Amino acid sequence: MSIAQMRSAKGMIRVCLTADPANFPRCVDDRDAVTRSIPAGQHSLRFAALPRGDYAVAVIHDENGNAKLDTFAGIPKEGFGFSNNPAIRFGPPRFKAARFTLASDAEAQQVKMHYIL
C-alpha cells in the first residue's frame, strides 16, 4: 500500500485494515483487524499473508502524535484517506465504497490523503 499527497512528514501515519464492515473505519471491536503505525515520512506499507477476500483500509495522518484523529466541530484537523479513494462527503465512507478484493499476493492500493483544515 502506498500513501500519496501527504501534507508533511510530521507525526505518524495510523492504518487500519479490516474485512468487517461493522467495524470500518475505526477497527475498535475487530479482533481480526490489522493496525499499523509508521512514521509520516514513510509512504508505503506491506501487509503480509492476508487471506483472500474483501477488505477496506482507513488511514489518518496523526501529525501531533496523540494516537487519534483531531477534529474541530466534527471536521478533521488532520489528514485522512481510504482504500479505493472514494468521494469524501459528510463523514467517512461506508465499507462498500472503500472495499477492495484481495485476489493475489501482488495486490496494491494507493490511498490519497485529504486535508480539510
Side-chain angles (χ1 to χ4, degrees), residues 1-116:
M1 180 181 87
S2 64
I3 301 165
Q5 300 176 346
M6 294 285 295
R7 172 164 66 189
S8 75
K10 292 180 357 184
M12 301 293 288
I13 296 171
R14 312 244 184 234
V15 180
C16 165
L17 177 139
T18 183
D20 183 357
N23 281 300
F24 179 79
R26 299 192 62 209
C27 297
V28 174
D29 296 322
D30 185 354
R31 67 179 183 87
D32 295 323
V34 180
T35 58
R36 298 276 193 283
S37 294
I38 59 173
Q42 181 179 328
H43 298 147
S44 65
L45 173 67
R46 285 194 74 165
F47 294 99
L50 291 173
R52 307 294 187 256
D54 291 337
Y55 294 92
V57 172
V59 179
I60 66 168
H61 180 191
D62 181 12
E63 290 180 279
N64 62 4
N66 67 350
K68 66 179 186 171
L69 178 66
D70 294 324
T71 61
F72 176 76
I75 299 169
K77 292 170 53 177
E78 296 175 304
F80 59 91
F82 304 96
S83 52
N84 210 25
N85 296 305
I88 302 299
R89 293 186 175 40
F90 296 101
R94 297 198 179 276
F95 181 89
K96 181 177 168 181
R99 179 184 61 211
F100 65 95
T101 301
L102 182 62
S104 75
D105 292 336
E107 296 289 329
Q109 284 288 312
Q110 182 184 62
V111 174
K112 294 179 183 172
M113 298 302 289
H114 299 272
Y115 296 87
I116 297 175

